[in-house]
Structures are given as C-alpha cells and as structure tokens.
Amino acid sequence: MADKTIYLDFEEPIYKLESKIQELKSCCDDKLAKDFNKEIANLERKTKRLLEETYTKLTPWQKVCVARHANRPHSIDYIHALIDNFMPMAGDKLFGDDEAIVGGMGFFKGQSVMIIGHEKGHDLESRIRHGFGMAKPEGYRKAKRLMELANRFGLPIISLVDTAGAFPGIEGEERGQAEAIASCIMEGFTLNVPYIAVVIGEGGSGGAIAIASANRILMLEHSIYSVISPEGCASILWRDGAAVKKAATALHLTAQDLYKFGVIDEIITEPLGGAHRFRDETIERTGEVIWKHLAELKKMTPEELAKDRENKFLTMTRFELK
C-alpha cells in the first residue's frame, strides 16, 4: 500500500491507483504473473494519464501545496548532487550561525562557485535545527558575508530560494531583521560577478528576495514566489484564513504568471508529477539550466554584470498608464 501521507489532497485518485498497483505487485506469483502484469500495465497507463491531467491543470493554490511538499529536494540535496568538494561556511562574525541559511564554496561542473540557499530540513529534528528555512538576521548577514567573499575572489554565485519568509519572532526584530535583509539585497546589486537565483520551492517575501537580487532568476515549474503568503494575504485583505485559495489566485505567484510579467527569466520544467516524485531528475535538470545561464553571464564584464542586474530590476518597476 502506498504511503498516503506523501499524497496531497487533490491527489486522492492517483493514490488509489498507485496503491492498487503496489497491491498487485506484492501478491503477484508465477502462475498469475501474465494476467497480473497486463492489469498492472493498464493501471500504470491510467496513472500516467491522470498525472498528466492533474499536473497540467493545477490551480494556484494546488501549486502552493506542491511547492511546500516535504519531499521536494531542498538546498542541501542540490548542493550534494551538483557541487563537488563543497566547503561549508558558517557564522556572520557578529552574532552566530543560523542554519536556516547554508552556504559555502565548491566546484560546479569544474567552475569554482559560491552557493547560498535556504534550508528547511527533512525531518522534525533537522527542521527545528534549520528553523524551517526561515532565517534570522544572522542568517542574512552570513549570506551577505559569503557574497562579499565571492565578489572579492571573482566567484559566480548560485542561490537556492526556498523559504516561507524571514523568521517572524521578536528576537529577529531585536537583532535588526529588516536591515539585514535590506543589506543583503543591496549587496546583490553591487556584485561584479555572475549571480543566479533559483526558486526551488517557496519564495516568500523579503526573506526570499534577500538572496535573489540576481542577474538571472529561475523558477521550478511548480514553485511559487510572492510578496506574502496566501494565508497572510487572506487574513489581511479578507480577514478570513479560509480565503487562501482566492488569495493564491490574486497574488499571481506561480512561475507561469511571473514569467509572463517578466519577473523571472526561465521556468525549469519538473518531471510529470512534480519534483517530490523525481528528486534526482529535477536536480539534474536544474543543474543544466543553471550551467546554461552561467555560461552566458561569464561572457560579460564586471561592469556589464552590475548594469544588467540594475536594469533587470528597474524594468520590473516601469509600467504605462492607459
């Protein structure tokens, strides 16, 4: 029987089919193998067709649920798979180390890079240790320190965005949360090295853009990127937490919406059924797209890189009154 806990609410029909397939496979013996294999093949075709129908018509709220799926690959998974000889770096040299932000140096396809990312954790213990990916000020000051180091040594920067937002507790405000995020964003604009950001899950509020003021912003197909969470938007605008589906639609937070608006540069296609089903394939595809954009950015001079980044974000703020 398939583990129902990994299926989202709207995936109930898929769960039933995949459970039936597993049930048939577990009780299949040599005498019934021919008949069972035929039935299994038929159910697998139905499952694939149902996955196609479901995942090509996801609503904005359903995309939010997929982006938050616990089994999606996280920053540490991308680092382990894509970065050779990774050397983690810790601390902000002011207060301490915040494990909600991970980062360090390594080799990406033979190219020395600095990689920075939000990390949510995979189980309860690691999620608590990593602060569920919601960084405190020291996390963003660590990210800024790594950016400065990369800039000093001419290392391209790759950032992996996956956070519901910055840490919302009082200690974050006491230690200068807003200033830390603003400084991190500003540091991104002053860099003279290629800078690529990838939204791999959630891209929430200033906590996300702190490490996404990049030359190229990429998004996985079923990731989200917005100024506020649907829950926060629903509570402020409608004063009703149940209005999250309406809020998700109003926010235009999907990769498809943001590509149309020119906020992001490319959508990275996920395997059928989402990154949480095919983690290795998703990471491999992401690495290929990052490498393509990095190769393009490496042809630009330091001055051109800084100007390119500036123009990118200025263009987002321009609109015409009709």
Side-chain angles (χ1 to χ4, degrees), residues 5-11 54-55 58-74 120 162 200-203 221-225 229-231 244-245 248-249 253-254 270 273-277:
T5 61
I6 68 172
Y7 290 84
L8 299 165
D9 291 344
F10 63 86
E11 295 181 311
T54 302
Y55 274 81
L58 290 178
T59 66
W61 174 246
Q62 288 171 338
K63 282 186 176 286
V64 172
C65 296
V66 175
R68 292 173 174 173
H69 200 291
N71 285 6
R72 281 179 79 85
H74 296 157
K120 288 183 172 181
D162 190 15
I200 59 174
E202 285 188 274
E221 181 181 2
H222 303 310
S223 60
I224 59 171
Y225 191 27
S229 69
E231 292 87 349
V244 290
K245 295 181 180 179
T249 301
L253 43 61
T254 69
E270 297 184 28
H276 58 283
R277 281 187 168 83

Side-chain angles (χ1 to χ4, degrees), residues 18-203:
E18 293 189 341
S19 294
K20 185 64 175 177
I21 290 170
Q22 289 190 17
E23 184 181 338
L24 289 174
K25 286 182 177 179
S26 65
C27 64
C28 183
D29 57 32
D30 293 338
K31 293 181 181 179
L32 299 174
K34 186 176 180 180
D35 292 335
F36 274 28
N37 286 340
K38 184 177 180 180
E39 178 63 17
I40 289 169
N42 184 44
L43 288 172
E44 286 177 340
R45 284 193 295 271
K46 287 183 178 179
T47 302
K48 183 178 180 181
R49 187 163 60 247
L50 187 56
L51 276 170
E52 289 175 346
E53 292 172 356
T54 302
Y55 274 81
T56 55
K57 298 177 182 178
L58 290 178
T59 66
W61 174 246
Q62 288 171 338
K63 282 186 176 286
V64 172
C65 296
V66 175
R68 292 173 174 173
H69 200 291
N71 285 6
R72 281 179 79 85
H74 296 157
S75 292
I76 286 178
D77 300 311
Y78 285 88
I79 290 170
H80 287 165
L82 299 176
I83 307 300
D84 297 323
N85 299 326
F86 177 64
M87 181 186 295
M89 306 182 78
D92 66 345
K93 293 190 175 182
L94 289 172
F95 182 85
D97 184 45
D98 181 3
E99 293 189 64
I101 296 282
V102 295
M105 294 183 289
F107 294 94
F108 174 52
K109 297 184 183 292
Q111 165 72 54
S112 298
V113 297
M114 181 70 77
I115 187 160
I116 305 166
H118 299 100
E119 176 55 42
K120 288 183 172 181
H122 289 90
D123 53 29
L124 182 58
E125 182 182 353
S126 64
R127 285 171 189 154
I128 292 172
R129 186 172 74 253
H130 290 289
F132 296 87
M134 294 184 290
K136 297 182 176 73
E138 52 269 26
Y140 291 111
R141 292 188 177 113
K142 173 168 71 173
K144 180 185 176 185
R145 183 171 74 86
L146 298 187
M147 290 180 192
E148 291 172 342
L149 192 63
N151 202 45
R152 187 185 310 163
F153 292 102
L155 302 178
I157 298 170
I158 299 169
S159 72
L160 303 172
V161 178
D162 190 15
T163 182
F167 179 74
I170 189 170
E171 58 263 49
E173 298 303 324
E174 288 174 341
R175 297 200 289 271
Q177 185 78 285
E179 184 277 335
I181 290 173
S183 294
C184 212
I185 295 171
M186 181 60 70
E187 185 64 31
F189 285 123
T190 63
L191 296 171
N192 295 317
V193 295
Y195 183 9
I196 297 172
V198 188
V199 183
I200 59 174
E202 285 188 274

Side-chain angles (χ1 to χ4, degrees), residues 253-273:
L253 43 61
T254 69
Q256 293 72 26
D257 284 333
L258 295 167
Y259 181 75
K260 181 174 65 177
F261 296 147
V263 174
I264 67 170
D265 299 283
E266 185 169 345
I267 298 171
I268 302 171
T269 305
E270 297 184 28
L272 180 63

